[in-house]
Amino acid sequence: MAKIIVVTSGKGGVGKTTSSAALGTGIALKGHKTVIIDFDVGLRNLDLIMGCERRVVYDFVNVINKEATLNQALIKDKRTDGLYILPASQTRDKDALTLEGVDAVLKELAEEFDYIICDSPAGIERGAQMALYFADVAVVVTNPEVSSVRDSDRILGILQSKSRRAERGDAPIEEHLLITRYHPERVSAGEMLSVEDVEEILAIPLIGVIPESESVLKASNQGTPVILETESEAGLAYTDAVDRLMGEERPMRFLDVQRKGFFKRLLGG
Amino acid sequence: MGIFDYFKSKSQPSSASVAKDRLQIIVAHERSKRQQPDYLPQMQQEIIDVIRKYVQVDSKDVQIQLENIEDCSVLELNVTLPDQ
């Protein structure tokens, strides 16, 4: 039985697509057959982050409307074995995704894949609700910043009331907190909410903390999932998050301020 | 933090702790609303109408709250009656 993981946040720009690409790649690297689906109809971007934008022929909505088969629409990742991408449609039709259509595609994917990652659009409208409706696991991506934390709490409420598991009265969606764009320096200066603050407010288990890192932008410039940047802290932090998602124990890294030299500290550099 | 920052006033709470306090309040408020059953606003209106049949009260003088304490729900009704 395939596991359906939704990567969601409510707020836009917090790193959902970056995280979907990284987590999906990391899970595939562990030998599980994985597909990442872009649910952001009209604002397709997962293809760019994964570096396969020129190979998109058919998309998710084509498959729902039976204009293409699933095999025609799936893009095989060139870097990672067992990883596929299902791109979003660029249509402006907001009703392109239907519950029955999404259900049918997920069922077909579940026969072949071990993990299905649903990259949710921002907001709490149709696309976001479709992305989370069938989920078994939710990764809630949050920046240590007031609007992101509040929106994450709102999404948690929707996961607990509007998902299929909630409607059927099944076991609730397993929720995980992924904090991204974390600045240990600003936290220690009292300018940014700490991991503990965010955990306390949202009260869901922490799966990882991704430090703010130049390598995230560099990786997206090149169309490479940042988890493949094994020299970068962000890449390593995503690898740890994948391990934890798979049930392994990993201590948190990159949460403390790196020590500066005496002169740098004196001058406040 | 450099030597110059050291002399700046330290008496104010950090902006992060202000953020945390604000978030805790708004999130708790929004969660309590989320757990309300859908019929609550309508029931609230009808209760106000019944009270108004007998006493002229403003709708802001009637407060209705549903609290869930473990597996027990308490409906709290607070009516401030006007001075005679």
Side-chain angles (χ1 to χ4, degrees):
Chain A
M1 200 47 205
K3 217 173 206 182
I4 304 178
I5 303 176
V6 61
V7 178
T8 186
S9 71
K11 192 176 181 296
V14 297
K16 282 182 297 299
T17 302
T18 301
S19 298
S20 298
L23 297 176
T25 304
I27 294 170
L29 283 172
K30 285 185 161 288
H32 306 288
K33 204 171 174 193
T34 305
V35 56
I36 315 175
I37 310 177
D38 189 348
F39 272 79
D40 204 345
V41 171
L43 293 168
R44 168 161 84 209
N45 273 322
L46 179 68
D47 55 340
L48 269 179
I49 300 297
M50 293 296 297
C52 62
E53 68 277 8
R54 293 176 61 180
R55 293 161 63 208
V56 176
V57 183
Y58 294 108
D59 59 55
F60 193 13
V61 171
N62 291 140
V63 179
I64 288 177
N65 294 340
K66 300 205 164 54
E67 294 151 0
T69 66
L70 202 44
N71 281 329
Q72 284 176 302
L74 284 174
I75 302 171
K76 189 179 186 313
D77 189 77
K78 283 196 167 154
R79 294 182 212 90
T80 311
D81 267 347
L83 179 63
Y84 292 78
I85 291 101
L86 183 56
S89 163
Q90 285 291 47
T91 173
R92 275 191 277 173
D93 177 12
K94 271 204 271 174
D95 301 326
L97 296 181
T98 60
L99 218 47
E100 298 74 32
V102 174
D103 190 23
V105 173
L106 290 178
K107 270 189 186 136
E108 201 180 332
L109 287 169
E111 288 169 17
E112 217 183 311
F113 288 90
D114 304 317
Y115 285 89
I116 301 172
I117 316 283
C118 302
D119 179 20
S120 172
I124 51 172
E125 311 233 331
R126 194 184 183 87
Q129 290 196 12
M130 292 288 164
L132 67 80
Y133 187 77
F134 299 97
D136 303 306
V137 177
V139 174
V140 179
V141 183
T142 307
N143 290 169
E145 175 269 325
V146 284
S147 53
S148 175
V149 175
R150 181 200 208 168
D151 291 357
S152 292
D153 191 67
R154 189 107 170 73
I155 275 292
L156 288 170
I158 293 171
L159 286 166
Q160 289 153 14
S161 63
K162 302 253 169 77
S163 61
R164 181 167 67 175
R165 283 175 171 269
E167 283 179 4
R168 286 184 175 175
D170 292 347
I173 294 178
E174 201 182 292
E175 298 157 342
H176 297 286
L177 173 63
L178 181 67
I179 298 178
T180 55
R181 311 201 72 159
Y182 194 69
H183 272 279
E185 292 81 9
R186 303 198 73 180
V187 173
S188 80
E191 295 171 4
M192 183 180 261
L193 291 165
S194 68
V195 170
E196 293 76 24
D197 292 341
V198 181
E199 269 187 288
E200 193 185 324
I201 294 162
L202 294 178
I204 58 169
L206 182 69
I207 193 103
V209 181
I210 314 300
E212 175 80 54
S213 162
E214 289 169 10
S215 55
V216 175
L217 181 59
K218 270 192 205 157
S220 79
N221 285 342
Q222 293 165 322
T224 318
V226 70
I227 198 168
L228 296 178
E229 306 287 332
T230 46
E231 302 284 297
S232 94
E233 290 190 350
L236 294 170
Y238 272 117
T239 305
D240 288 353
V242 169
D243 290 344
R244 293 187 200 106
L245 201 57
M246 300 287 124
E248 295 165 40
E249 295 254 340
R250 288 286 178 276
M252 291 287 167
R253 294 194 270 180
F254 318 119
L255 299 188
D256 298 319
V257 182
Q258 283 154 0
R259 290 219 143 193
K260 285 187 215 158
F262 172 72
F263 282 105
K264 251 193 164 176
R265 258 193 285 171
L266 186 71
L267 300 170
Chain B
M1 181 133 335
I3 198 161
F4 306 112
D5 301 310
Y6 192 77
F7 296 107
K8 285 185 194 158
S9 122
K10 273 275 197 171
S11 53
Q12 287 174 345
S14 73
S15 66
S17 69
V18 174
K20 186 183 178 186
D21 292 344
R22 290 173 61 216
L23 270 170
Q24 278 174 324
I25 293 166
I26 191 67
V27 163
H29 177 73
E30 287 175 345
R31 278 184 195 158
S32 68
K33 282 205 160 166
R34 198 153 79 205
Q35 280 154 4
Q36 283 183 355
D38 296 336
Y39 60 76
L40 203 67
Q42 201 193 340
M43 186 172 81
Q44 188 165 351
Q45 190 52 51
E46 284 178 30
I47 292 174
I48 291 171
D49 291 343
V50 170
I51 295 170
R52 281 221 187 115
K53 265 170 78 177
Y54 302 95
V55 197
Q56 258 322 307
V57 289
D58 203 65
S59 56
K60 70 173 184 338
D61 294 329
V62 181
Q63 276 170 356
I64 299 176
Q65 260 183 336
L66 190 69
E67 258 185 86
N68 291 303
I69 305 152
E70 286 173 21
D71 49 351
C72 177
S73 298
V74 179
L75 183 74
E76 195 183 299
L77 179 70
N78 252 314
V79 188
T80 314
L81 293 174
D83 296 335
Q84 290 302 314

